[in-house]
């Protein structure tokens, strides 16, 4: 059942369109990630949903009721939403307990009720033993938990998070990704989570919405977005892909020039015109010897750079056709720089994209 719905949602700042006619239906109780590079309109979309800014066009409905349109916009406090910002914005002079309880005091709940609810959330966010500390006595991850607890304690119907983990170090970020998912599963509010980090999105989300320049480029489950990208942008942004450009020459083959013909196992083949073929960096197989038999889906080139990364090697290769591609190979495939290499692009890993 759709709970939050965006219809042709648009926000312009002068000549600049930050959000450009976005349509999106978010089911009750799901966790949706808005994912995209910096400047693509994620924060603006979230602030529109929260009610901090008004749309230039289009509307937002929550539970079937229009809360934002160009002509009228309900204030944030009328929306039963909590928003968590990148900076945790905790009160420095209040303890963890008081920071979390603050929203309930504002709502004039009784003392006993405030105590019960606050303690329950402190338990759920693993902060019970830190309740009497001040923010300056907490690590970044603990502060982030407090900001989560504070948002959850008021039992919002909708939770909005804007890059909530970007101030944490890599280990904590990984832990908190799971934590946010766990809390979501426990409380089942409808969540909109903004991030530019694809691993974060893939860990947390039921639905990933990939944005580019104020538009939705593709929306789907994490598996959908990763396995079946519909554009070069999505193929490259999520998971890293090489893109070859060519023309269709058979039912499912694409001639990319310089003798490279790629048979593609999946994708979208236009009847005529250019086709792009995407293949993941880690799906390219490297060989130091020319393949016997040859055939399609082989390219040759020269190693420009090779980096040892412990679990794999990362290659940059200049193809004889002039393009540069990346390939990720097992550590035991060690081909020195400036040496010739052959690259196999397995057909079932090649995906055609209409251009
Ligand atoms: P993201 O969160 O995806 O990085 P934003 O939503 O913050 O992107 O911004 C989208 C675009 O809108 C950017 O080009 C940004 O510069 C512009 N923008 C955002 N807020 C304003 C504003 N208040 N005035 C003018 N331009 C803005
Ligand atoms: Mg932002």
């Amino acid at each position: 059942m759709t709970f939050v719905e965006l219809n042709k949602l648009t926000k312009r700042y002068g000549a600049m369109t930050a959000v450009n006619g976005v349509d999106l239906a978010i089911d009750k109780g799901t966790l949706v990630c808005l994912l995209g590079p910096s400047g693509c309109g994620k924060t603006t979309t979230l602030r529109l949903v929260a009610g901090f800014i008004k749309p230039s066009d289009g509307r937002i409905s929550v539970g079937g009721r229009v809360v934002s349109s160009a002509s009228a916009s309900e204030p944030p406090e009328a929306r039963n939403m909590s928003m968590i910002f990148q900076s945790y914005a905790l009160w420095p002079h209040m303890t963890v307990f008081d920071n979390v309880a603050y929203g309930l005091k504002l709502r004039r709940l009784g003392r006993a009720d405030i105590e019960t609810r606050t303690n329950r959330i402190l338990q759920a966010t693993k902060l019970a033993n830190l309740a009497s500390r001040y923010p300056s006595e907490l690590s970044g991850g603990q502060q982030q938990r407090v900001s989560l607890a504070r948002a959850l304690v008021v039992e919002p119907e909708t939770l909005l998070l804007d890059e909530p983990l970007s101030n944490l170090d890599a280990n904590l970020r990984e832990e908190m990704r799971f934590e946010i998912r766990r809390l979501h599963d426990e409380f089942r509010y409808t969540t909109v989570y903004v991030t530019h980090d694809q691993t974060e999105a893939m860990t947390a989300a039921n639905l990933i919405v990939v944005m580019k320049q104020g538009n939705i480029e593709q929306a789907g489950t994490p598996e959908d977005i990763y396995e079946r990208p519909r554009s070069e942008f999505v193929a490259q942004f999520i998971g890293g892909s090489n893109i070859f450009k060519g023309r269709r020459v058979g039912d499912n083959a694409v001639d990319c020039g310089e003798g490279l013909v790629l048979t593609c196992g999946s994708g979208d083949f236009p009847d005529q015109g250019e086709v792009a073929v995407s293949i993941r960096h880690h799906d390219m197989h490297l060989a130091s010897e020319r393949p016997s038999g040859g055939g399609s889906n082989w390219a040759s080139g020269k190693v420009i750079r090779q980096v040892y990364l412990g679990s794999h090697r990362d290659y940059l290769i200049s193809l004889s056709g002039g393009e540069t591609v990346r390939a990720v190979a097992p550590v035991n495939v060690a081909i020195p720089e400036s040496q010739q290499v052959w690259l196999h692009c397995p057909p079932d890993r090649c995906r055609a994209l209409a251009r």
Side-chain angles (χ1 to χ4, degrees):
M1 191 187 65
T2 300
F3 186 59
V4 178
E5 191 170 10
L6 316 185
N7 280 304
K8 303 270 170 292
L9 187 66
T10 300
K11 182 66 185 179
R12 284 183 287 267
Y13 291 107
M16 152 90 213
T17 304
V19 177
N20 187 15
V22 162
D23 286 315
L24 181 65
I26 302 173
D27 285 345
K28 197 170 178 74
T30 56
L31 197 160
V32 172
C33 271
L34 304 183
L35 174 65
S38 177
C40 71
K42 305 180 296 295
T43 295
T44 306
T45 305
L46 205 67
R47 292 172 61 83
L48 284 163
V49 173
F52 294 125
I53 49 176
K54 247 197 198 168
S56 314
D57 256 314
R59 59 197 157 82
I60 301 169
S61 314
V62 178
R65 197 178 85 248
V66 176
V67 296
S68 288
S69 70
S71 53
S73 192
E74 272 187 5
E77 59 275 13
R79 299 187 179 204
N80 202 8
M81 296 180 176
S82 283
M83 182 151 168
I84 299 181
F85 302 91
Q86 193 173 329
S87 64
Y88 316 126
L90 303 179
W91 300 107
H93 59 288
M94 287 186 195
T95 62
V96 167
F97 184 94
D98 289 337
N99 261 285
V100 175
Y102 186 75
L104 298 177
K105 285 186 185 149
L106 277 187
R107 288 172 197 214
R108 305 195 175 282
L109 265 66
R111 230 182 128 120
D113 203 9
I114 291 178
E115 198 132 311
T116 315
R117 291 197 197 194
T118 304
N119 283 327
R120 190 170 67 218
I121 289 292
L122 290 174
Q123 289 287 351
T125 49
K126 301 179 182 146
L127 287 166
N129 57 341
L130 303 174
S132 55
R133 292 229 194 140
Y134 287 89
S136 61
E137 300 166 331
L138 301 175
S139 71
Q142 290 163 341
Q143 290 181 41
Q144 181 55 273
R145 273 175 212 279
V146 178
S147 74
L148 259 173
R150 199 174 49 173
L152 298 180
V153 79
V154 296
E155 298 176 8
E157 282 181 303
T158 313
L159 181 64
L160 308 173
L161 303 117
D162 192 2
E163 312 257 6
L165 308 183
S166 55
N167 286 338
L168 304 180
D169 62 43
N171 282 336
L172 259 176
R173 223 168 26 228
E174 194 172 325
E175 187 187 318
M176 285 304 287
R177 287 203 283 266
F178 290 108
E179 186 70 4
I180 286 175
R181 181 72 226 183
R182 185 185 68 76
L183 286 168
H184 177 84
D185 291 340
E186 187 172 337
F187 291 93
R188 286 273 152 213
Y189 25 66
T190 306
T191 304
V192 186
Y193 186 129
V194 160
T195 180
H196 64 273
D197 181 315
Q198 61 134 332
T199 317
E200 226 169 277
M202 296 199 58
T203 310
N206 300 111
L207 180 76
I208 294 181
V209 175
V210 183
M211 291 185 70
K212 179 191 174 191
Q213 293 172 355
N215 293 291
I216 293 183
E217 185 81 0
Q218 187 172 347
T221 62
E223 196 172 327
D224 223 13
I225 296 281
Y226 189 88
E227 293 292 333
R228 290 170 287 281
R230 285 203 302 262
S231 67
E232 291 173 36
F233 176 79
V234 175
Q236 288 181 301
F237 190 73
I238 314 291
S241 297
N242 294 305
I243 304 286
F244 294 94
K245 290 174 182 171
R247 301 187 77 79
R248 186 176 182 184
V249 286
D251 277 352
N252 53 1
V254 177
D255 186 345
C256 303
E258 300 288 326
L260 176 61
V261 175
L262 292 173
T263 301
C264 300
S266 67
D268 187 9
F269 294 91
D271 281 339
Q272 48 193 346
E274 281 197 33
V275 190
V277 176
S278 72
I279 176 165
R280 301 272 171 212
H281 299 149
H282 61 257
D283 285 331
M284 320 251 308
H285 296 312
L286 266 58
S288 54
E289 314 240 320
R290 179 184 284 279
S292 61
S296 78
N297 291 57
W298 281 93
S300 69
K302 198 173 252 184
V303 176
I304 303 177
R305 192 192 67 205
Q306 185 238 98
V307 185
Y308 171 79
L309 287 170
S311 60
H312 60 270
R313 290 178 197 269
D314 193 324
Y315 283 87
L316 193 64
I317 294 162
S318 164
L319 298 184
S320 29
E323 308 98 317
T324 303
V325 295
R326 268 182 70 191
V328 167
V331 275
N332 61 357
V333 178
I335 304 169
E337 284 173 11
S338 14
Q339 193 168 313
Q340 173 111 45
V341 278
W342 281 267
L343 283 156
H344 186 228
C345 309
D348 65 328
R349 305 310 302 158
C350 289
R351 182 172 172 80
L353 305 167
R355 304 204 63 219

